């Protein structure tokens, strides 16, 4: 069963053959149907939206004039003015219409434990709630919605993480230390594509790399007359177990690496075929190789020890911003990046970069912002743990928090969600439900053996913006694909309905 879990996670991140054409067409649909609506209702992208309508962003002022790629069937284009002030937007949602839109949730393939919550994105309360049995379910990767929101809240969308080198004095040969700052996307070399990505994401952040850091370090050392060093590495920013005790043993190396503050290429081997058991040591060896090639002599072994408090910084490279990391990890469901962000959450809020500290911070931030966890409990940041439990109301609450005027810094959470039928883990999804739903639903997927879930936002045919969470965690093993299709149909139904009263 553990191997099937891993396979489902790989499927969740994997794009399809039709994806390249859909992305181009999807830019049009997303801009008109989703980003435009959110821009007006939340103020998240007003400047971008005005640029789009004026054509100053490089997109034609009338996107409806752009022909879709050959072989792509798209629903009729809704022009910007139709969404700028939707007639029915803001009207109360109709529970009867929502129940009809979500009829696929009653399909037997979803099993006996199906939870759902739907409400206005900028409102309170729920217009539709369905729960049979316990009010919480295994969330799988929809956990990343919560992790990303708390990371944006505590760290800020513009925060970056530095990988540095520092020099310690003393002795005849100074000690140079490579210090990990928890950059989830630190690479071996510049412009190296992520070997972990098979989903062909629409967005790739610019990555820092250890070869550049080594060359910068070598130049600085030579300028100070230093040509020989001893070398060490420090990954002490994070602590606690590197693999969560509730994870299945074969999740390493199939799905996740030991979580550390220092790795390269998401702890994968150079060919991307597997993950390494000691990511920090591998990163240090890679750095040492490039440092020697840059003309610095390194003597002795490479020691694993914290840098001295008074060490002098020599060079540094910076990660993508938290906003960019969130965009990437939500689109392709990046387990490793989510777990690194959870550690940073722990450091920022609790002063400790561990699983436990990260989740203590998550609980505190949710409670402080009026999101009642109820019986929910999370053990990790990625959703790999089958011990996790979330209520759909928590997911709706987090999505609303991200849309609120009080927290504009959380807006990247909404704009990073995959788009139904076009991007990321939804690139080949919702193709069997109502066609009108494609492009009108943005959601994070969640998939484990026996579990399928979706959490995100939808724009109905009248412009009503909704937050929703749909969860099923007692799916029969032989019904996984059929359950996914039923879940997709339900979510697509929200985009296809006239849900206002």
């Amino acid at each position: 069963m553990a191997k099937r879990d891993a396979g489902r996670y790989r499927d969740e991140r994997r794009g399809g053959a039709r994806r390249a054409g859909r992305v181009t067409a999807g830019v049009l649909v997303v801009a008109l149907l989703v980003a435009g609506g959110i821009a007006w209702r939340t103020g998240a992208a007003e400047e971008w939206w005005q640029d789009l309508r004026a054509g100053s962003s490089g997109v034609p002022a009338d996107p409806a004039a752009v022909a879709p790629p050959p072989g792509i069937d798209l629903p009729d284009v809704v022009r910007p003015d139709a969404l700028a002030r939707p007639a029915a937007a803001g009207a109360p949602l109709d529970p009867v219409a929502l129940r009809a839109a979500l009829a696929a949730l009653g399909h037997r393939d979803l099993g006996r434990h199906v939870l759902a919550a739907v409400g206005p994105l900028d409102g309170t309360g729920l217009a539709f709630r369905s729960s049979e049995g316990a009010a919480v379910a295994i969330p799988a990767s929809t956990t990343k919605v919560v992790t990303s929101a708390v990371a944006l809240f505590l760290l800020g969308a513009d925060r970056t993480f530095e990988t540095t080198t520092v020099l310690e004095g003393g002795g005849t040969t100074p000690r140079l230390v490579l210090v990990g700052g928890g950059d989830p996307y630190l690479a071996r070399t510049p412009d190296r594509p992520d070997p972990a990505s098979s989903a062909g994401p629409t967005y790739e952040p610019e990555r820092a790399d250890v070869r550049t850091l080594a060359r910068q370090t070598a130049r600085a050392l030579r300028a100070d007359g230093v040509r020989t060093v001893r070398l060490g590495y420090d990954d002490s920013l994070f602590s606690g177990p590197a693999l969560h005790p509730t994870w299945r043993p074969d999740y390493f190396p199939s799905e996740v690496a030991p979580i550390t503050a220092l790795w390269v290429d998401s702890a994968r081997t150079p060919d991307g075929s597997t993950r390494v058991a000691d990511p920090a040591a591998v990163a240090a060896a890679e750095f040492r190789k490039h440092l020697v090639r840059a003309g610095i002599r390194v003597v002795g072994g490479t020691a694993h020890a914290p840098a001295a408090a008074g060490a002098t910084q020599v060079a540094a490279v910076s990660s993508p911003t938290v906003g960019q990391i969130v965009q990437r990890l939500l689109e392709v469901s990046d387990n490793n990046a989510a777990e690194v962000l959870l550690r940073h959450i722990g450091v920022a809020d609790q002063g400790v970069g561990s699983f436990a500290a990260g989740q203590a911070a998550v609980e505190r931030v949710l409670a402080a912002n009026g999101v009642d966890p109820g019986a929910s409990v999370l053990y990790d940041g990625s959703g790999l743990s089958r011990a996790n439990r979330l209520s759909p109301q928590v997911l709706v609450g987090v999505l609303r928090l991200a849309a609120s005027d009080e927290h504009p810094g959380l807006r990247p959470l909404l704009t990073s969600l995959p788009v139904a039928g076009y991007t990321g883990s939804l690139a080949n999804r919702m193709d069997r439900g109502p066609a009108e739903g494609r492009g009108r639903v943005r959601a994070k997927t969640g998939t484990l053996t026996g579990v399928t879930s979706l959490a995100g936002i939808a724009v109905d045919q009248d412009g009503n913006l909704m937050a929703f969470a749909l969860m099923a965690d007692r799916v029969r093993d032989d019904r996984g694909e059929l359950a996914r299709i039923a879940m997709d149909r339900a979510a697509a139904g929200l985009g296809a309905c006239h849900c206002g009263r």
Side-chain angles (χ1 to χ4, degrees):
M1 184 176 289
K3 291 183 178 179
R4 286 195 294 270
D5 280 354
R8 300 269 172 99
Y9 257 77
R10 285 191 290 273
D11 290 344
E12 180 174 306
R13 297 195 306 267
R14 191 172 295 144
R18 294 171 291 175
R19 186 184 178 286
R22 282 184 169 174
V23 167
T24 304
V27 171
L28 170 63
V29 178
V30 175
L32 294 179
L33 302 182
V34 183
I38 294 172
W40 175 67
R41 294 291 290 277
T42 70
E46 285 185 270
E47 183 176 349
W48 174 86
W49 179 239
Q50 294 301 327
D51 287 346
L52 173 62
R53 296 185 67 184
S56 61
S57 67
V59 179
D62 183 7
V66 180
I72 300 299
D73 294 324
L74 291 176
D76 292 338
V77 170
V78 179
R79 294 176 179 272
D81 290 340
L83 279 179
R85 290 292 189 273
L93 296 175
D94 183 355
V96 175
L98 287 171
R99 184 173 297 277
L102 296 169
L105 292 181
H107 201 286
R108 63 181 183 180
D109 289 328
L110 286 169
R112 297 182 177 181
H113 192 230
V114 180
L115 309 182
V118 183
L121 182 61
D122 61 354
T124 58
L126 297 174
F128 178 87
R129 176 180 177 180
S130 173
S131 59
E132 300 175 11
V136 293
I138 300 172
S141 250
T142 57
T143 301
K144 295 182 176 75
V145 171
V146 178
T147 304
S148 297
V150 176
L152 289 165
F153 182 87
L154 285 177
L155 305 170
D158 294 331
R159 172 74 179 275
T160 59
F161 310 115
E162 287 193 337
T163 306
T164 63
T165 52
V166 299
L167 194 66
E168 301 173 353
T172 57
T173 304
R175 180 175 180 254
L176 180 74
V177 183
L178 173 66
V179 182
D183 179 352
Y185 292 131
L186 185 68
R188 284 178 165 84
T189 57
D191 303 320
R192 176 178 169 84
D194 182 5
S197 174
S198 59
T202 59
Y203 173 71
E204 283 284 4
E206 184 176 349
R207 301 166 190 264
D209 67 278
V210 293
R211 188 178 79 183
T212 297
L213 180 60
R215 290 178 176 179
Q216 291 178 359
T217 300
R219 283 195 298 270
L221 290 174
R222 287 196 302 269
D224 288 339
V226 178
R227 296 187 176 276
T228 302
V229 296
R230 295 174 291 127
L231 183 62
Y233 65 97
D234 179 355
D235 62 349
S236 62
L237 180 64
F238 297 164
S239 58
L243 297 169
H244 200 278
T246 64
W247 288 346
R248 299 203 169 189
D250 69 347
Y251 282 171
F252 170 74
S254 65
E255 290 304 313
V256 71
I259 307 304
T260 173
L262 177 63
W263 65 26
V264 290
D265 294 345
S266 300
R268 285 193 174 264
T269 53
D271 63 1
S273 62
T274 190
R275 293 178 174 88
V276 299
D278 192 344
V282 170
E286 193 74 18
F287 174 82
R288 178 172 180 148
K289 175 181 70 178
H290 291 300
L291 187 67
V292 170
R293 289 177 179 175
I296 299 298
R297 181 170 175 254
V298 180
V299 297
T302 304
H304 183 201
T312 302
Q313 182 169 307
V314 179
V317 293
S318 295
S319 73
T321 66
V322 167
Q324 292 168 332
I325 293 168
V326 164
Q327 181 174 349
R328 178 64 167 68
L329 83 86
L330 286 177
E331 185 179 15
V332 302
S333 200
D334 188 330
N335 297 322
N336 293 279
E339 295 302 344
V340 169
L341 280 189
L342 182 67
R343 300 300 183 99
H344 282 298
I345 288 168
V347 172
D349 192 70
Q350 306 283 311
V352 179
S354 65
F355 285 109
Q359 282 309 331
V362 167
E363 292 175 10
R364 189 194 69 77
V365 169
L366 293 183
N369 285 281
V371 180
D372 181 7
S376 300
V377 59
L378 295 175
Y379 291 94
D380 63 13
S382 63
L384 278 172
S385 176
R386 297 185 69 90
N388 289 341
R389 295 293 185 274
L390 267 183
S391 72
Q393 294 93 312
V394 166
L395 289 165
V396 168
V398 169
L399 292 163
R400 284 173 166 168
L401 185 67
S404 67
D405 292 335
E406 291 78 14
H407 299 289
L410 303 190
R411 219 70 83 237
L413 173 67
L414 301 181
T415 58
S416 299
L417 292 170
V419 181
Y422 296 98
T423 65
S425 58
L426 286 182
N428 280 339
R429 301 271 301 254
M430 299 194 194
D431 55 350
R432 304 194 190 185
E436 299 90 342
R438 295 198 294 274
R440 289 183 176 269
V441 176
R442 303 187 76 137
K444 181 70 199 75
T445 54
T447 309
L448 286 170
T449 298
V451 179
T452 184
S453 56
L454 287 169
I457 55 179
V459 185
D460 79 352
Q461 296 294 303
D462 298 316
N464 292 296
L465 285 165
M466 296 169 276
F468 70 90
L470 315 176
M471 311 171 77
D473 66 351
R474 295 180 192 168
V475 178
R476 281 174 43 183
D477 287 359
D478 61 345
R479 297 286 178 174
E481 181 65 15
L482 294 173
R484 180 193 65 77
I485 292 170
M487 187 69 75
D488 286 356
R489 283 177 172 163
L494 293 175
C497 78
H498 297 273
C499 293
R501 289 179 178 172

